[in-house]
Amino acid sequence: MSARLPGTPRLLRALNDRAALELLLSRGPLTRAQLGELTGLSKVTASQLVERLEERGLVARVGEQAGGRGPNAQMYAVVPTTAFVVGVEAGPAHVVAGVADIMGNIVGRTDVAIGDGDDPVKVVHAAVVEAATAGGAPIERIRRIVLGTPGLVDPKSGEITFAWDLPRWHRGLLTALRDDLGRPVMFENDVNLAAIAEQHSGAAIGTQDFVLVWLDRGVGTAVVLGGRLHRGSAGAAGEIGYLPVAGTQVSRDASRRSKSGFRTLVDAVAVRAIAKTHGFKAAGAAEAIRAAIAAGTAGSPFLDELARRISLGVASVGLVLDPELVVLAGEIGQAGGADLAQRVQHEVAAIAVVSPRVVATEVAAEPVLHGAILTGLDAVREEVFGSTA
């Protein structure tokens, strides 16, 4: 006779509750009967499940569904204000914060300017509080704050170890922010967060192995293998901007603040310079690229040269990882769209034995901020919904 497993009924209830909550998140309001049908539970068990979730304040009645004979069926939905998350995108000139409810609805947003000598704790505090106030989110219900930052984040400690554009952001800041805000705080590399947004709602939906190449003021990549971010032992996986490329300066600066390597070929400053030599003078890299695309064949020499430069980095990553997909993001990747992506794909196939599909980002705006919110939501839903046991 086999030994009885302790706690099995409780575990089953927890699993059923979690399945029901996920269905309510993905499909919207449902009746008890619909939840029972979708989960395979009996009517009685489904009713008990809904009652448990109501008692915990996780679901609420939101309307009725007309049926045949008898009274209308009650519709239930997840209570959006059960918990909130805050995503923060930190840059050299400003910090953007957005607050979302547990359903993923962004209910508040703010943009706080940064001065050269500003204390990052005070700046982030102001951004979080302003976004929470705008969204009607009580601070005590904010279950996670996720900050996207350029540079390296130590996967073990969660601390920033190096931020190119944010010299005042350093080790010790994570603890200081947690103490100041009194909420769970985590850092993540900004390009990694952009990849999470791309995987959730962009060009990489359903793709298990892909690389996102960020082309903007800075240059970097995010690596997703088996559907999960690959950060490396020191959080430096994907720092392709430092890739030594023949013909570029190779710096031995231990601080890593000198400009050298692959990024000198393809960052926003370099793109403006290339554009100027081809007769496209514009205020920014994105504007120059859009002007070249609009010019048709007259813009091809500039776009071809840019594609050749980008392909050096894409081919290097491709030969190591052999991804099925490469997404070009950042202001340069977005401005270039399908035109630039196709040129890069052609160049990579010409110079390497790998030929990944290369596409432009499909996340229209603020991918870092959205990736931060998605990261926070994953963690908070696990905490809140997993606690139903």
Side-chain angles (χ1 to χ4, degrees):
M1 184 175 180
S2 61
R4 183 179 177 183
L5 293 175
T8 299
R10 184 176 179 178
L11 175 60
L12 290 175
R13 285 196 299 271
L15 293 173
N16 291 337
D17 290 356
R18 178 64 183 267
L21 288 164
E22 293 292 348
L23 284 168
L24 290 170
L25 280 175
S26 61
R27 299 199 179 205
L30 296 169
T31 66
R32 296 186 186 208
Q34 289 170 334
L35 280 170
E37 182 180 347
L38 292 168
T39 57
L41 300 174
S42 68
K43 291 182 180 179
V44 173
T45 303
S47 292
Q48 292 171 344
L49 176 154
V50 171
E51 288 172 4
R52 285 197 302 272
L53 296 179
E54 270 193 296
E55 289 174 1
R56 293 183 59 83
L58 297 178
V59 304
R61 302 177 192 187
V62 294
E64 296 181 344
Q65 183 182 69
R69 299 176 183 176
N72 293 341
Q74 295 289 332
M75 303 287 291
Y76 295 87
V78 173
V79 177
T81 56
T82 298
F84 296 89
V85 302
V86 176
V88 179
E89 179 179 0
H94 62 123
V95 165
V96 178
V99 60
D101 61 32
I102 202 166
M103 296 291 292
N105 304 309
I106 298 178
V107 296
R109 184 185 180 283
T110 192
D111 191 325
V112 177
I114 300 178
D116 290 339
D118 286 350
D119 178 3
V121 174
K122 291 182 179 179
V123 172
V124 173
H125 181 103
V128 169
V129 171
E130 287 181 19
T133 301
I139 293 296
E140 63 273 13
R141 287 197 181 181
I142 294 175
R143 299 288 291 261
R144 188 71 92 257
I145 299 166
V146 180
L147 290 97
T149 174
L152 305 185
V153 177
D154 186 334
K156 299 179 182 68
S157 68
E159 289 277 10
I160 294 176
T161 58
F162 173 74
W164 169 265
D165 282 333
L166 301 168
R168 291 179 61 86
W169 295 56
H170 49 70
R171 283 189 183 275
L173 181 57
L174 181 61
T175 300
L177 285 169
R178 287 173 175 170
D179 291 343
D180 175 76
L181 293 164
R183 316 308 301 156
V185 179
M186 65 173 287
F187 286 120
E188 180 59 273
N189 173 266
D190 54 356
V191 181
N192 284 347
L193 293 175
I196 289 172
E198 205 73 52
Q199 189 178 31
H200 181 267
S201 55
I205 293 175
T207 305
Q208 292 296 299
D209 297 332
F210 74 95
V211 171
L212 181 138
V213 180
W214 185 264
L215 303 164
D216 209 296
R217 304 180 282 105
V219 176
T221 63
V223 178
V224 176
L225 300 175
R228 300 174 65 87
L229 279 172
H230 176 71
R231 297 177 176 85
S233 62
E239 289 293 334
I240 195 175
Y242 297 97
L243 180 73
V245 177
T248 66
Q249 177 185 351
V250 177
S251 173
R252 296 181 179 275
D253 179 6
S255 72
R256 295 168 288 188
R257 293 198 179 279
S258 62
K259 199 171 180 182
S260 64
F262 178 63
R263 61 184 161 181
T264 63
L265 297 177
V266 295
D267 67 5
V269 173
V271 171
R272 287 200 303 274
I274 304 168
K276 187 176 180 180
T277 63
H278 287 278
F280 293 95
K281 298 179 181 179
E287 291 84 353
I289 292 170
R290 284 192 284 266
I293 292 172
T297 55
S300 289
F302 162 44
L303 296 172
D304 285 341
E305 181 178 348
L306 178 57
R308 283 193 293 271
R309 292 185 177 208
I310 294 172
S311 71
L312 296 176
V314 173
S316 298
V317 173
L319 287 167
V320 175
L321 299 175
D322 193 15
E324 59 181 294
L325 177 71
V326 173
V327 180
L328 303 184
E331 70 160 350
I332 293 166
Q334 189 169 54
D339 190 309
L340 180 61
Q342 289 168 5
R343 293 170 194 264
V344 173
Q345 180 172 312
H346 175 77
E347 288 296 326
V348 172
I351 65 174
V353 294
V354 294
S355 53
R357 186 164 59 96
V358 181
V359 300
T361 177
E362 292 180 8
V363 178
E366 298 186 315
V368 175
L369 181 65
H370 284 83
I373 289 171
L374 288 167
T375 300
L377 284 171
D378 280 347
V380 169
R381 287 171 179 171
E382 183 65 32
E383 289 175 1
V384 175
F385 296 165
S387 68
T388 58

